[in-house]
Amino acid sequence: MTVSDPVNAKKNPVSQTASAPSFDSSNPFRSAAHLPKQRGGQAPDPNYLPRQRIGITPQMHGRYPDFDILSQENAWDEVTRQVVLERLKAYGKPKFFTPDEWHTLSAFADVLLAQHSEPKIDVMAHVDAKLHAAKGGGVDGFQYDDLPSDQDVWRLVARGLNDSAHEQGAESYEAAPSKLKASILSDFMDGKLTGSVWDTLNVKRAFKVITRSLMEGYYSHPWAWNEVGFGGPAYPRGYMRLGMALGEGGDQREPWEKPETKDINAQMLRDNEAHLGSKQQANEPEDLAWLKSEAARAERIAKELAANPPKFRGTGYKRLLKGAIQPKANDSAYLLDVHKRGVPQDKMKRYDDSDEVDLLIIGAGAGGGVLAQRLSRFGWKVVVLEGGPFWNPDTDWVSDEAASHHIYWNGKRIIGGENPVEMGKNNSGHGVGGSMIHYAGYVPRFHPSDFMTESLDGVGADWPISYWDVARHYEACEVELPAAGQDWPWGHIHRYTHSAHPISGASERLIIGADKFGMHLRVGPVGIANGTFGNRPHCIYRGFCLQGCKVNAKGSPLVTHIPDAIKHGAEIRANSTALKVLMDGPRATGVEYVHNGEIRRQRAKRVAVSGYSIESPRLLLNSAQSGWEAGVGNRHDQVGRYVMVQGAPVVMGRFPEMLRTYKAPPPEVSTEQFYETDDVRGFKRGFSIQTTGPLPISFAENILGEGHWGDALREYARDYNHWVSIGGLCELLPHPENRVTLAEVKDHNGLPVARYDHTLHQNDKDNIAYAQKFIKGLLEQAGAQDIIATERYAHLIGGNRMGFSPEDSVVSSDHKVWGTENLFVADGSACPTQGSANPALTIMALSSRLGERLGRGQVPDGQPTPQPKRKKARAELFGPLG
């Protein structure tokens, strides 16, 4: 194992420059020469920074010596203040770890996070409390199939670290020399540790389990916020100065935010082998001519497949009425209290389990929430069973990454396959509002081509409906959210009812770069109010969309559809977990569920499953009973198959200006120029590009994900305010073996948990690689001085897909489960393909269509009839046929 390579580092011309840095004394950090990848993998001695003068940073050196985030605690909401200040208290004795495990793992954490001296952040306190609170259950919402529980992984790693140190002559890992500790950590990251307990683990994945909680513990601490210059929760005040402000040296700060120091010790920036931790070298730039030719060809293809001429037939009124258009049949925005964020429930109707309601919905997310509102408006008696709580943003949500853990699905799920997809905060919600409580707010539409990929491109699957069947439902949901954005030139050309939000300096930087080679970016669309909307306030641009919008500016079913559903007689029965759909031959008669530890049964004339792509297949499989021995709807082994995610590579670029990426919604500008198939690229279908706005934990996880640890990790993280982050959304194709099944592990109700296996195919890999390469080029042309790239996945779709017959799908074009008369699936699991757009709006629009058809009596009685499968005509891209 090589911790450093000083010989090659000296040969690196960038490293030579960095060894004798030339800094502009008026703004020394406009240069990127201090960054480890520019220095052959070495990090500078942190003592090059001045001592902290106000507040505390770990080891008391910082880029912002006059900044103390705690001086702003009076500008935070009370629940956030409480959880943040709790981190400053002494933790006491461990509740989960033994003293020996605590000492070993603390020593490991100090090496990972380069905490060489006091004061230190006690990251093990965060980990111990988190594992203790899990009580042996799920910790972060998933468990790798080749690892034991997270709790056991931690204990085994503690033992393995000591064994590895002992094999090399040390009494323990804690007592080992610094170089040996670093060597073991580096081998752990690379999966090279063997013998002892390591042979029982997938070592690389065990490293990920351990480090994600350590990173969370460090970068959620206010001392770390001082170190990276993070402006903090800022609620209810928010942020006002978002842009680059080039006249201010690119550092447009709020009054309480401080400038970077100019007082650095340049001598300490010379190469120093004692400060290591990076495995990466500087990037080779992408060819500008290649970028231009690829962008031009993609633009031509996008224009050829765009539907509706640029005149925007019949939508000119939107330009005149920006922000004034209100939903026609949804009063949710006016049913909220002006001064409180919680949804009023005092007048909510309550049904008895013995009442045979017209519709029983399982899940109150994007699918279930919209369906409940639509059918309650038709006068139907509707009950929604939601396994999680009925959230009150004022008291339940926190403007903090680590303390928002409870809004995600943290129950155990098993993930496997060659490319496992992590769950929890990445894609799974919990409580009324579902995953849209913590989605980023981006609401683009699917393209017409997404509904006919098999006919158009020979891959994926055709939907049994067309884009034009849901087009007006897209528009209705955009008004209800409301969606804000610039006129949209891709797919079905359209306008939005609210104008685009102001953008951050990071987004400005990208627009400048994209213009250099013919790449077009648009602002929005986000489901976030731009201006007041009924009793909902406007956005205050603090960037905590993924943690639950305490402002209620971001649209989710909790605020956009549930209030109106309640007004029209729907009951939202929270903390009620569905166990089984009850069947009598082809008819669903109700649902068995558990509420407050009591097993109950709710009768219903119709049942709709809306638990999303993991829990909906799991429920149908767990509902096996007489007549449905393999699971309800699973007579042809289709339930759980074709679950898709999107490839979501993240590429971050470093710029001379201070861009403060945490301001404004995470997704601000994007392009769908590369959405459609371009055969010259060598793969089918395409991708979109969107900005992201990582908060400190997510930002640091990206740094570690590329291979930087120790002093290198800390140095990159101190540079936080100079970075821009872009994500790709690559359409990954449906494959039958990418599926949900039942695991051997059982939950606290005694039911098998879901297992999700996922493996990339070559087309998927090529799409992701191309997108990452192109995004890297975009950042370089925008002026990036350094680039960090990692891979991840986003957004679940499929698992109970709609189709033409029971042999190839689970539900019909009316979302009715094959072989049943009154059981429906109304969520993202019904989608046959993924697209390159965030799926939330599509899920809402599909439920809106289903609700309308049910309410108008347009869904035929009895079991659904298979449709003849036909090749769709290309003309269907441009408008409804017939």
Side-chain angles (χ1 to χ4, degrees):
M1 191 282 304
T2 301
V3 179
S4 67
D5 188 357
V7 175
N8 289 333
K10 291 177 181 177
K11 291 179 181 178
N12 187 320
V14 180
S15 181
Q16 288 179 354
T17 301
S19 65
S22 175
F23 286 104
D24 177 357
S25 60
S26 65
N27 194 335
F29 293 108
R30 289 189 73 84
S31 166
H34 62 291
L35 294 176
K37 281 170 68 175
Q38 309 299 320
R39 302 164 55 80
Q42 296 184 3
D45 186 324
N47 288 301
Y48 83 93
L49 294 169
R51 295 282 294 177
Q52 196 74 11
R53 294 186 284 265
I54 297 176
I56 298 174
T57 62
Q59 295 80 64
M60 287 305 289
H61 288 272
R63 187 82 68 86
Y64 307 90
D66 299 309
F67 177 58
D68 180 15
I69 189 63
L70 293 174
S71 69
Q72 297 302 309
E73 64 171 279
N74 62 342
W76 305 344
D77 63 282
E78 185 57 32
V79 291
T80 301
R81 182 185 301 111
Q82 289 178 7
V83 299
V84 173
L85 296 184
E86 187 68 24
R87 295 170 189 155
L88 302 174
K89 298 178 181 178
Y91 184 64
K93 293 181 179 181
K95 300 180 178 66
F96 175 82
F97 293 110
T98 67
D100 287 344
E101 290 169 340
W102 178 280
H103 289 303
T104 298
L105 294 166
S106 292
F108 174 83
D110 285 347
V111 179
L112 176 76
L113 296 163
Q115 296 209 87
H116 304 304
S117 61
E118 297 291 344
K120 298 179 181 180
I121 294 174
D122 188 0
V123 293
M124 287 303 299
H126 171 80
V127 176
D128 188 79
K130 185 175 179 179
L131 295 176
H132 175 71
K135 301 184 186 301
V139 177
D140 285 318
F142 62 94
Q143 176 185 318
Y144 290 105
D145 68 341
D146 53 4
L147 288 177
S149 69
D150 284 12
Q151 292 89 335
D152 287 342
V153 170
W154 277 94
R155 296 197 189 281
L156 291 169
V157 165
R159 193 194 318 167
L161 291 172
N162 282 330
D163 289 347
S164 294
H166 187 69
E167 288 174 4
Q168 300 187 57
E171 182 180 349
S172 65
Y173 185 84
E174 181 185 18
S178 297
K179 286 188 177 180
L180 178 55
K181 289 179 183 175
S183 175
I184 293 172
L185 185 149
S186 186
D187 281 347
F188 188 7
M189 173 183 272
D190 291 340
K192 295 178 180 178
L193 294 176
T194 59
S196 177
V197 301
W198 303 117
D199 292 342
T200 68
L201 299 173
N202 182 316
V203 178
K204 277 191 172 182
R205 290 177 180 169
F207 182 85
K208 293 181 69 175
V209 170
I210 298 302
T211 56
R212 70 170 177 257
S213 289
L214 292 174
M215 300 285 283
E216 189 178 82
Y218 186 89
Y219 285 102
S220 64
H221 199 283
W223 294 358
W225 297 349
N226 286 344
E227 182 176 46
V228 304
F230 173 50
Y235 177 75
R237 174 176 54 192
Y239 295 119
M240 296 180 64
R241 303 183 180 188
L242 308 180
M244 277 198 296
L246 294 178
E248 301 178 34
D251 186 12
Q252 188 179 41
R253 291 174 279 109
E254 309 298 326
W256 71 90
E257 294 173 318
K258 303 298 180 183
E260 287 179 311
T261 184
K262 300 175 184 177
D263 180 20
I264 66 168
N265 185 340
Q267 184 66 25
M268 292 271 186
L269 281 169
R270 296 183 183 278
D271 289 343
N272 187 329
E273 292 185 39
H275 298 280
L276 309 171
S278 178
K279 301 174 184 291
Q280 304 297 326
Q281 302 289 326
N283 298 273
E284 291 294 327
E286 298 296 342
D287 179 61
L288 178 58
W290 176 80
L291 292 167
K292 286 183 175 180
S293 64
E294 296 295 292
R297 194 172 63 254
E299 182 181 25
R300 175 179 57 79
I301 293 171
K303 286 183 177 179
E304 288 175 356
L305 296 184
N308 216 6
K311 294 180 181 179
F312 295 94
R313 288 194 300 258
T315 63
Y317 69 95
K318 288 186 180 179
R319 185 178 296 280
L320 299 175
L321 298 176
K322 283 283 189 183
I325 300 174
Q326 299 294 317
K328 294 180 180 179
N330 185 346
D331 297 328
S332 290
Y334 293 94
L335 297 172
L336 299 168
D337 191 285
V338 176
H339 304 292
K340 299 177 182 178
R341 303 292 169 250
V343 174
Q345 302 172 53
D346 54 313
K347 297 181 181 180
M348 183 167 68
K349 188 174 180 62
R350 310 285 178 173
Y351 294 93
D352 191 84
D353 286 342
S354 61
D355 293 334
E356 188 180 41
V357 297
D358 295 311
L359 179 64
L360 178 60
I361 302 172
I362 303 165
V370 173
L371 187 61
Q373 187 270 336
R374 294 296 193 258
L375 287 170
S376 63
R377 275 266 177 174
F378 276 103
W380 286 31
K381 297 177 181 178
V382 177
V383 169
V384 182
L385 300 178
E386 169 54 51
F390 209 125
W391 298 118
N392 183 336
D394 286 331
T395 57
D396 297 331
W397 295 349
V398 179
S399 301
D400 181 83
E401 286 180 276
S404 296
H405 190 71
H406 62 294
I407 70 173
Y408 316 129
W409 181 288
N410 297 309
K412 190 173 291 185
R413 289 158 169 171
I414 306 302
I415 59 173
E418 294 180 18
N419 309 99
V421 175
E422 295 183 354
M423 298 284 157
K425 69 177 183 179
N426 185 43
N427 48 32
S428 301
H430 176 64
V432 179
S435 299
M436 286 186 72
I437 292 300
H438 65 90
Y439 81 134
Y442 228 50
V443 288
R445 302 181 184 183
F446 277 15
H447 285 204
S449 65
D450 286 317
F451 293 74
M452 48 188 295
T453 64
E454 186 176 5
S455 293
L456 195 66
D457 297 315
V459 295
D462 287 350
W463 296 43
I465 61 175
S466 79
Y467 171 89
W468 307 103
D469 291 316
V470 295
R472 59 189 178 83
H473 296 280
Y474 273 131
E475 184 169 348
C477 292
E478 286 165 351
V479 174
E480 291 168 311
L481 282 166
Q486 290 181 305
D487 294 348
W488 208 246
W490 300 291
H492 178 202
I493 300 171
H494 57 280
R495 290 185 172 133
Y496 292 103
T497 57
H498 277 217
S499 57
H501 287 269
I503 60 175
S504 69
S507 295
E508 288 183 63
R509 245 319 183 172
L510 295 179
I511 291 173
I512 292 171
D515 285 345
K516 291 184 178 181
F517 56 93
M519 180 174 160
H520 302 293
L521 297 174
R522 289 291 185 274
V523 182
V526 289
I528 302 174
N530 186 4
T532 56
F533 186 70
N535 292 344
R536 286 170 53 194
H538 58 80
C539 181
I540 57 174
Y541 306 112
R542 14 173 248 123
F544 279 91
C545 302
L546 298 175
Q547 288 68 43
C549 178
K550 288 184 71 68
V551 183
N552 272 356
K554 186 185 78 172
S556 76
L558 178 64
V559 296
T560 61
H561 290 82
I562 295 298
D564 194 69
I566 291 174
K567 177 186 176 182
H568 289 86
E571 178 190 356
I572 314 301
R573 197 175 296 169
N575 300 306
S576 300
T577 301
L579 303 178
K580 177 188 290 188
V581 178
L582 302 172
M583 303 294 297
D584 181 7
R587 291 195 61 79
T589 60
V591 170
E592 184 174 274
Y593 69 102
V594 59
H595 178 77
N596 293 332
E598 177 188 0
I599 294 179
R600 298 163 54 173
R601 292 186 172 193
Q602 174 67 58
R603 298 177 65 233
K605 296 177 181 177
R606 303 167 193 83
V607 174
V609 179
S610 302
Y612 206 20
S613 290
I614 303 298
E615 292 306 308
S616 286
R618 178 197 175 207
L619 176 64
L620 293 180
L621 293 173
N622 272 329
S623 296
Q625 55 198 278
S626 178
W628 299 96
E629 284 76 11
V632 174
N634 199 35
R635 287 174 176 157
H636 295 273
D637 193 27
Q638 291 297 300
V639 171
R641 291 193 182 274
Y642 302 103
V643 178
M644 293 158 279
V645 291
Q646 289 164 330
V650 174
V651 186
M652 305 193 304
R654 198 270 184 191
F655 291 86
E657 299 85 11
M658 295 277 283
L659 301 176
R660 300 185 183 271
T661 189
Y662 52 85
K663 295 183 179 181
E668 289 195 283
V669 299
S670 69
T671 181
E672 291 180 352
Q673 192 166 333
F674 303 87
Y675 197 105
E676 310 290 356
T677 293
D678 176 359
D679 288 323
V680 177
R681 295 195 297 243
F683 57 88
K684 298 293 185 180
R685 305 305 293 159
F687 59 94
S688 61
I689 297 173
Q690 303 171 359
T691 54
T692 66
L695 298 177
I697 295 173
S698 297
F699 179 75
E701 287 173 341
N702 291 337
I703 298 167
L704 181 67
E706 200 191 49
H708 308 283
W709 53 273
D711 289 296
L713 166 67
R714 290 277 295 279
E715 185 64 19
Y716 269 113
R718 290 186 191 101
D719 214 41
Y720 175 52
N721 285 327
H722 284 271
W723 287 78
V724 172
S725 179
I726 303 181
L729 284 183
C730 306
E731 179 176 348
L732 305 187
L733 300 177
H735 302 290
E737 66 274 21
N738 288 345
R739 66 181 304 187
V740 170
T741 56
L742 298 180
E744 295 181 2
V745 179
K746 295 186 177 181
D747 65 11
H748 62 283
N749 292 313
L751 292 178
V753 304
R755 175 189 173 109
Y756 175 32
D757 287 284
H758 176 258
T759 297
L760 293 173
H761 288 233
Q762 193 58 49
N763 195 86
D764 305 328
K765 295 175 182 178
D766 292 344
N767 192 339
I768 293 170
Y770 181 97
Q772 190 174 74
K773 178 181 172 71
F774 199 92
I775 296 170
K776 177 183 169 186
L778 163 61
L779 286 168
E780 287 167 351
Q781 292 308 312
Q785 301 164 305
D786 198 348
I787 287 176
I788 284 177
T790 58
E791 291 189 8
R792 58 181 288 271
Y793 304 104
H795 308 131
L796 294 162
I797 281 291
N800 292 313
R801 70 174 180 174
M802 68 168 65
F804 299 88
S805 72
E807 288 78 21
D808 67 4
S809 57
V810 177
V811 301
S812 70
S813 59
D814 279 321
H815 297 255
K816 189 183 289 188
V817 175
W818 296 111
T820 76
E821 298 178 353
N822 61 340
L823 178 62
F824 300 84
V825 174
D827 59 23
S829 72
C831 297
T833 56
Q834 173 65 287
S836 297
N838 310 53
L841 182 70
T842 295
I843 297 169
M844 297 176 76
L846 288 171
S847 277
S848 176
R849 171 182 175 269
L850 174 60
E852 180 182 81
R853 288 181 59 77
L854 285 171
R856 292 179 176 176
Q858 295 172 336
V859 177
D861 293 331
Q863 298 181 28
T865 303
Q867 298 175 240
K869 194 172 182 180
R870 64 173 177 84
K871 184 174 182 178
K872 294 189 175 184
R874 187 179 176 88
E876 196 167 328
L877 290 171
F878 308 105
L881 299 181

